[in-house]
């Protein structure tokens, strides 16, 4: 799917999740940046932003992203 449509958010979300699970923080960051540009209000993108914020020690920011994800879901 990603080869046919590089802007296909569901595929990028899955790839970002895999990169995060495998500890590939740089790759995760690239996917997340693309997703923020592509679908900033997607609940899954907001959840991934929360994961990133928490990993960087920003728990308050992470909570804000999770709250927003619940609002738009």
């Amino acid at each position: 799917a990603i080869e046919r449509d590089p802007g296909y958010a569901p595929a990028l979300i899955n790839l970002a999740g895999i990169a995060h699970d495998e500890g590939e923080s740089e790759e995760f960051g690239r996917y997340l940046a693309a997703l923020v540009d592509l679908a900033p209000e997607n609940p899954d993108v907001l959840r991934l932003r929360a994961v990133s914020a928490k990993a960087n020690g920003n728990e308050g920011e992470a909570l804000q992203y999770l709250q927003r994800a619940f609002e738009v879901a």
Side-chain angles (χ1 to χ4, degrees):
I2 199 74
E3 292 174 1
R4 288 185 180 198
D5 184 0
Y8 184 60
L12 290 173
I13 289 166
N14 287 337
L15 290 170
I18 291 168
H20 178 267
D21 291 347
E22 293 181 352
E24 299 291 337
S25 59
E26 191 173 309
E27 188 174 356
F28 173 71
R30 282 195 303 271
Y31 287 128
L32 184 55
L35 285 163
V36 168
D37 288 342
L38 182 67
E41 291 295 301
N42 178 302
D44 290 324
V45 174
L46 290 164
R47 181 186 56 79
L48 289 171
R49 291 185 81 176
V51 167
S52 177
K54 186 171 186 317
N56 290 316
N58 299 318
E59 292 184 8
E61 184 180 349
L63 182 58
Q64 289 176 347
Y65 284 127
L66 288 176
Q67 287 173 332
R68 184 69 186 142
F70 282 117
E71 292 171 4
V72 299

